């Protein structure tokens, strides 16, 4: 169980030490759209370090994005652009969330590039895993499924109340209440009464709808939350918004007690299993099973 960071800010800062690994690691590409790039890198690297197997992870950035939290030069020096990996092939592509859900998809400055990357992945990646905003963006781009603003932010740890136990993604997660996932978003999928025939709901929650969806023909998995989140990520978001005097409710099913000092860390095992299951789907897809 080793993870090599091919590039990234953590590697550049010598804060992630690569470990020796096997001769044929799974090659993963992560399009990191989060402004907290170092934190997001560490979250994904740490999660895959807990997954059986050897992984070689390359971080990518959208070259058309206007950066605010970091300089373009800093990001470009540590990350790859699509042009730099265009002729390569990867076992999996992960596209992260992004704090742009209140903006119309077409108004996001890298929207055209997002579509280009999704299309490129069809011939250069075994499967794409879209997370949070990227899940909504992927479903809109590929299936024209709309999003809508919700009255109250979807914020907390949500448990799957329905699960397709036949899906490889549900392996070892079928026990009642085991699949839990952090959520932090202001929008919801606006699903039609009849969803496209190739789109399948693997897991859902009665309060907020789908947690995991798949589209085999599109080589895609859509996860509406943030399985990669650290224990304190939602707490940090909550106290940040409080300091800014922004309207924010306590994250649901997250703190153990009223003093907000103890967190019910209930999702890390789920996340490790979910990523392990996703890796297994990549292997099965490659051999045509």
């Amino acid at each position: 169980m080793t993870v090599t960071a091919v590039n990234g800010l953590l590697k550049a800062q010598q804060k992630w030490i690569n470990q020796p690994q096997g001769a044929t690691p799974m090659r993963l590409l992560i399009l990191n759209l989060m402004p907290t790039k170092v934190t997001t890198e560490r979250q994904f690297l740490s999660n895959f370090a807990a997954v059986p197997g050897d992984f070689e992870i390359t971080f990518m950035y959208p070259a058309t994005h206007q950066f605010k939290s970091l300089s373009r030069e800093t990001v470009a020096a540590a990350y790859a652009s699509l042009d730099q990996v265009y002729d390569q092939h990867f076992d999996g592509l992960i596209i992260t969330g992004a704090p742009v859900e209140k903006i119309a998809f077409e108004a996001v400055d890298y929207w055209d590039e997002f579509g280009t990357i999704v299309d490129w992945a069809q011939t250069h990646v075994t499967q794409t895993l879209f997370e949070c905003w990227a899940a909504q963006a992927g479903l809109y781009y590929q299936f024209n499924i709309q999003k809508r603003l919700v009255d109250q932010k979807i914020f907390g740890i949500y448990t799957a109340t329905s699960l397709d136990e036949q899906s490889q993604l549900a392996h070892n997660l079928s026990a009642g209440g085991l699949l839990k996932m952090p959520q932090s978003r202001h929008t919801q999928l606006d699903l039609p009464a009849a969803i496209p025939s190739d789109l399948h709901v693997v897991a859902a929650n009665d309060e907020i709808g789908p947690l995991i969806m798949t589209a085999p023909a599109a080589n895609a998995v859509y996860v509406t939350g943030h399985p990669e989140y650290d224990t304190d990520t939602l707490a940090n978001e909550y106290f940040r918004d409080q300091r800014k005097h922004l309207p924010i409710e306590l994250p649901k099913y997250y703190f153990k007690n009223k003093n907000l000092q103890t967190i019910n860390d209930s999702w890390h095992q789920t996340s490790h299993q979910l990523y392990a299951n996703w890796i297994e789907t990549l292997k099965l897809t490659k051999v045509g099973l």
Side-chain angles (χ1 to χ4, degrees):
M1 296 184 289
T2 58
V3 176
T4 293
V6 173
N7 60 0
L9 294 165
L10 282 175
K11 182 182 179 183
Q13 298 167 5
Q14 297 184 332
K15 294 180 179 179
W16 182 267
I17 306 301
N18 289 332
Q19 300 293 326
Q21 60 179 17
T24 55
M26 298 287 287
R27 301 188 70 220
L28 303 180
L29 182 64
I30 298 180
L31 178 59
N32 187 357
L33 303 176
M34 294 291 281
T36 52
K37 287 196 166 20
V38 169
T39 298
T40 301
E41 283 182 29
R42 184 179 293 107
Q43 289 172 349
F44 278 105
L45 291 170
S46 297
N47 270 282
F48 280 98
V51 171
D54 297 322
F55 304 97
E56 180 185 277
I57 294 180
T58 300
F59 291 98
M60 183 168 66
Y61 75 102
T64 51
H65 180 46
Q66 298 299 314
F67 293 92
K68 296 179 181 178
S69 57
L70 290 170
S71 71
R72 169 174 294 278
E73 292 73 21
T74 298
V75 177
Y79 279 43
S81 66
L82 178 60
D83 287 345
Q84 291 171 309
V85 299
Y86 194 87
D87 294 326
Q88 298 184 40
H89 289 76
F90 295 87
D91 295 294
L93 166 65
I94 298 174
I95 306 181
T96 74
V100 294
E101 71 234 45
K102 291 184 179 181
I103 304 172
F105 291 119
E106 291 87 353
V108 175
D109 62 3
Y110 50 81
W111 178 249
D112 289 343
E113 185 177 6
F114 175 89
T116 299
I117 291 170
V118 171
D119 292 342
W120 166 85
Q122 292 297 307
T123 53
H124 291 78
V125 176
T126 302
Q127 192 179 87
T128 300
L129 172 61
F130 300 84
E131 292 197 3
C132 200
W133 174 83
Q136 296 184 357
L139 287 165
Y140 176 72
Y141 182 76
Q142 295 174 307
F143 294 98
N144 197 34
I145 290 176
Q146 305 291 323
K147 65 178 178 179
R148 59 178 174 82
L149 286 170
V150 293
D151 295 332
Q152 182 175 317
K153 183 179 181 180
I154 297 171
F155 191 44
I157 310 300
Y158 289 83
T159 301
T161 51
S162 63
L163 190 68
D164 177 6
E165 297 183 11
Q166 302 304 310
S167 171
Q168 172 61 40
L169 291 169
H171 179 66
N172 285 338
L173 293 173
S174 58
L178 183 58
L179 176 54
K180 300 176 187 296
M181 188 180 298
Q183 301 276 342
S184 179
R185 51 191 168 90
H186 295 274
T187 52
Q188 176 67 292
L189 292 171
D190 191 9
L191 291 173
I195 64 174
S197 59
D198 186 51
L199 199 55
H200 177 63
V201 178
V202 173
N205 172 273
D206 287 341
E207 292 182 68
I208 64 171
L211 300 177
I212 303 171
M213 304 179 78
T214 60
N219 303 315
V221 174
Y222 312 91
V223 173
T224 62
H226 285 279
E228 81 281 4
Y229 267 6
D230 289 330
T231 301
D232 61 356
T233 303
L234 293 184
N236 292 338
E237 290 184 11
Y238 172 73
F239 292 120
R240 176 202 65 196
D241 286 359
Q242 274 207 324
R243 288 192 300 271
K244 293 181 178 181
H245 304 290
L246 297 173
I248 185 69
E249 300 289 335
L250 281 170
K252 290 185 175 182
Y253 321 113
Y254 178 68
F255 289 112
K256 281 187 175 181
N257 46 43
K258 294 182 179 180
N259 64 16
L260 311 186
Q261 297 298 312
T262 307
I263 294 167
N264 181 20
D265 188 347
S266 59
W267 68 93
H268 274 96
Q269 182 179 355
T270 286
S271 296
H272 298 159
Q273 185 64 56
L274 178 59
Y275 286 126
N277 291 348
W278 179 61
I279 291 298
E280 191 60 28
T281 68
L282 301 185
K283 296 176 182 178
L284 293 173
T285 301
K286 287 182 71 173
V287 298
L289 297 179

Coordinates of all heavy atoms in Angstrom, one line a residue, residues 8 56 68 73-74 104 116 138 151 166 234 248 273:
G8 N 3.0 17.9 -7.6 CA 2.2 18.5 -6.5 C 2.9 19.4 -5.6 O 4.2 19.3 -5.5
E56 N 0.4 5.6 -8.3 CA 1.2 6.7 -8.8 C 0.2 7.9 -9.2 O -0.6 7.7 -10.1 CB 1.9 6.3 -10.1 CG 2.8 7.4 -10.7 CD 3.5 6.9 -12.0 OE1 4.5 6.2 -11.9 OE2 2.9 7.2 -13.0
K68 N -6.7 32.7 -7.5 CA -6.8 33.7 -6.5 C -5.9 33.4 -5.3 O -5.2 34.3 -4.7 CB -8.2 34.0 -6.0 CG -9.1 34.5 -7.1 CD -10.6 34.6 -6.7 CE -11.5 35.1 -7.8 NZ -12.9 35.2 -7.3
E73 N 2.0 30.8 -11.5 CA 3.4 30.3 -11.6 C 3.6 29.2 -10.6 O 4.2 28.1 -10.9 CB 4.4 31.4 -11.5 CG 4.5 32.4 -12.6 CD 3.3 33.4 -12.5 OE1 2.6 33.5 -11.4 OE2 3.0 34.0 -13.6
T74 N 3.1 29.3 -9.4 CA 3.3 28.3 -8.4 C 2.6 27.0 -8.7 O 3.1 25.9 -8.6 CB 2.8 28.9 -7.0 OG1 3.5 30.0 -6.6 CG2 2.9 27.8 -5.9
A104 N -23.5 29.6 -12.5 CA -23.9 28.8 -13.6 C -22.8 28.1 -14.2 O -21.6 28.6 -14.2 CB -24.6 29.7 -14.7
T116 N -13.5 19.7 -22.2 CA -12.4 19.1 -23.0 C -11.8 18.0 -22.3 O -11.4 16.9 -22.9 CB -11.4 20.2 -23.4 OG1 -12.0 21.2 -24.2 CG2 -10.2 19.6 -24.2
G138 N -20.4 17.1 -14.2 CA -20.3 16.0 -15.1 C -21.7 15.6 -15.5 O -21.9 15.3 -16.7
D151 N -32.5 25.7 0.0 CA -32.8 26.8 1.0 C -31.8 26.8 2.1 O -31.4 27.9 2.6 CB -34.2 26.6 1.6 CG -35.3 26.8 0.6 OD1 -35.1 27.6 -0.4 OD2 -36.4 26.2 0.7
Q166 N -25.7 -5.0 -5.4 CA -25.1 -5.7 -6.5 C -24.0 -4.9 -7.1 O -23.2 -5.5 -7.9 CB -26.2 -6.0 -7.5 CG -27.3 -6.8 -7.0 CD -26.9 -8.1 -6.4 OE1 -26.1 -8.9 -7.0 NE2 -27.4 -8.4 -5.2
L234 N -15.1 19.8 8.1 CA -16.4 20.4 8.3 C -16.4 21.4 9.5 O -17.0 22.5 9.4 CB -17.5 19.4 8.4 CG -17.8 18.5 7.2 CD1 -19.0 17.6 7.5 CD2 -18.1 19.4 6.0
I248 N -24.8 30.0 8.7 CA -24.4 28.6 8.7 C -25.0 27.9 9.9 O -25.0 28.4 11.0 CB -22.8 28.6 8.8 CG1 -22.3 27.1 8.6 CG2 -22.3 29.2 10.0 CD1 -22.5 26.5 7.3
Q273 N -13.0 2.2 2.0 CA -13.6 1.1 1.3 C -14.2 1.5 -0.1 O -14.1 0.8 -1.1 CB -14.7 0.5 2.1 CG -15.4 -0.8 1.5 CD -14.4 -1.9 1.4 OE1 -13.8 -2.3 2.4 NE2 -14.2 -2.5 0.2

